Amino acid sequence: MAWKPGLLPLLLLLLGPAPARSFGQLPLVLNTWPFRNATMAAWKTLAAGGSALDAVESGCATCEQQQCDGSVGFGGSPDESGETTLDAMIMDGTTMNVGAVGDLRRIKNAIGVARKVLEHTTHTLLAGEAATKFAESMGFINEDLSTNVSQALHSDWRARNCQPNYWKNVIPDSSKYCGPYKPPTVLKRDGITYEDTAQSYGHDTIGMVVIHKTGNIAAGTSTNGIKFKIPGRIGDSPIPGSGAYADDMVGAAAATGDGDILMRFVPSYQAVEYMRRGENPTTACEKVISRIQKYFPKFFGAVICANVTGSYGAACNKLSTFTQFPFMVYNPLKSAPTEEKVDCI
């Protein structure tokens, strides 16, 4: 049969754009903060023949083991009672399946438990003591997550009259005293001024995006949350679309910062949707940050984004103590995991 010129546009329409791996930008490992060892672990997993999901799990698990910045894994960010609890999620951009855990207690490998939720249940998120029981049934060891460091942090916080904390409109006055707290008979509903949490609390998350050379995409997160949180609090990290989001047809994104603010805007999902509409990764990230700024101009947060071509970008909200956001990149165009920085907007 003779070739007809009109067949090419039709084939392109049916098959979609050619995979960007031909440009040498894949595979890609992209993660929040300068957690180089996590980036390297994910890359080595890919080099050994692992999947995108395997790489995300390996990278986040490395941060859990090494207690990256004290904000990931055991022995960091004790809650009001002095206990360290963990949040994590992992998402498969091929199937759109997710596994996540929140308020996970006494289990060190949160991302590993999240992977088990993905692979062995039809649920998306398990939380609290029941998540711990699930982890034990999957073979994970129940052990204390506290360390001398986390215990000292908690003792010092108590000595400072439990400052800072996350209560409002309660008695006794939470800005001066420790609890237990109760609501007053009549709440005084004054306007609440949002504080610069980057300075007040300083918390991070590892958020990771991996694009396999075949085009399969995965994303994940792991964190021990914010210091001195109210027990039971779960942040944005294990929430699909908030902490991270992946779609093989478009790309992926992950967020870090004040999870209580971020989860209200599902920033990772929104970033992927901006890219779906044709925005480049940097613009997609910036639009997400701008959207949140309209309501919370002093929020602490950043987003990383990557599309199916292997192009990537990041954006962050500018604060007096936070003017640049560092993140890690590794692809075939780089000889080693590389730290890059973006100026906040």
Side-chain angles (χ1 to χ4, degrees):
M1 184 176 103
W3 173 261
K4 294 182 180 180
L7 287 177
L8 181 58
L10 178 60
L11 283 172
L12 289 175
L13 179 63
L14 292 174
L15 299 176
R21 55 184 177 275
S22 61
F23 298 111
Q25 298 184 78
L26 298 181
L28 171 72
V29 176
L30 179 70
N31 61 265
T32 58
W33 308 108
F35 299 149
R36 178 188 177 92
N37 290 344
T39 315
M40 194 70 229
W43 186 264
K44 286 182 176 179
T45 299
L46 292 176
S51 67
L53 279 173
D54 294 334
V56 168
E57 181 180 1
S58 176
C60 291
T62 296
C63 250
E64 291 174 348
Q65 295 159 6
Q66 298 182 358
Q67 302 168 282
C68 287
D69 202 36
S71 63
V72 182
F74 68 99
S77 302
D79 63 18
E80 283 190 343
S81 67
E83 183 177 11
T84 294
T85 59
L86 309 178
D87 298 341
M89 71 154 283
I90 189 166
M91 181 168 185
D92 184 343
T94 304
T95 64
M96 305 306 287
N97 288 332
V98 178
V101 289
D103 190 29
L104 181 67
R105 307 176 65 189
R106 303 185 306 281
I107 304 290
K108 286 185 176 180
N109 184 200
I111 191 69
V113 181
R115 180 81 182 267
K116 295 299 184 185
V117 174
L118 183 151
E119 293 184 335
H120 299 292
T121 81
T122 58
H123 298 317
T124 294
L125 171 65
L126 299 180
E129 199 65 45
T132 301
K133 291 181 180 178
F134 169 80
E136 290 179 295
S137 75
M138 292 289 107
F140 293 87
I141 299 172
N142 187 322
E143 54 190 319
D144 189 0
L145 301 188
S146 298
T147 62
N148 291 337
V149 172
S150 65
Q151 291 172 351
L153 281 171
H154 184 253
S155 296
D156 182 62
W157 177 73
R158 293 284 303 179
R160 297 195 314 270
N161 293 322
C162 304
Q163 302 302 311
N165 61 61
Y166 297 88
W167 294 87
K168 66 179 183 180
N169 299 330
V170 292
I171 52 175
D173 184 346
S174 60
S175 68
K176 298 178 181 178
Y177 307 105
C178 292
Y181 304 105
K182 295 181 179 181
T185 304
V186 179
L187 290 178
K188 184 179 180 182
R189 298 189 178 277
D190 292 333
I192 301 299
T193 301
Y194 186 73
E195 297 296 331
D196 180 341
T197 53
Q199 182 175 10
S200 301
Y201 308 120
H203 54 281
D204 319 311
T205 300
I206 180 165
M208 179 172 281
V209 168
V210 172
I211 306 181
H212 195 275
K213 62 183 179 181
T214 62
N216 298 132
I217 304 176
T221 63
S222 185
T223 184
N224 53 33
I226 48 178
K227 294 183 183 69
F228 319 124
K229 57 184 175 283
I230 299 170
R233 181 262 189 188
I234 295 174
D236 68 311
S237 296
I239 309 301
S242 289
Y245 195 76
D247 184 341
D248 279 9
M249 300 299 293
V250 183
T256 182
D258 187 332
D260 292 299
I261 298 299
L262 290 169
M263 73 166 70
R264 302 170 194 177
F265 297 87
V266 285
S268 297
Y269 170 80
Q270 191 64 56
V272 171
E273 290 308 300
Y274 282 136
M275 290 189 288
R276 191 188 307 276
R277 298 174 195 172
E279 299 290 1
N280 66 59
T282 297
T283 301
C285 285
E286 290 174 346
K287 282 192 170 185
V288 165
I289 296 297
S290 296
R291 184 165 169 257
I292 303 173
Q293 284 174 332
K294 294 177 182 178
Y295 297 89
F296 298 96
K298 294 184 179 181
F299 87 98
F300 170 50
V303 183
I304 56 172
C305 304
N307 65 22
V308 290
T309 71
S311 296
Y312 59 88
C316 51
N317 186 40
K318 186 176 182 179
L319 300 173
S320 60
T321 56
F322 185 59
T323 59
Q324 283 189 322
F325 170 57
F327 58 96
M328 296 298 300
V329 184
Y330 203 175
N331 64 24
L333 304 180
K334 301 182 184 298
S335 59
T338 303
E339 178 181 338
E340 296 189 12
K341 294 182 180 180
V342 61
D343 291 329
C344 296
I345 58 174

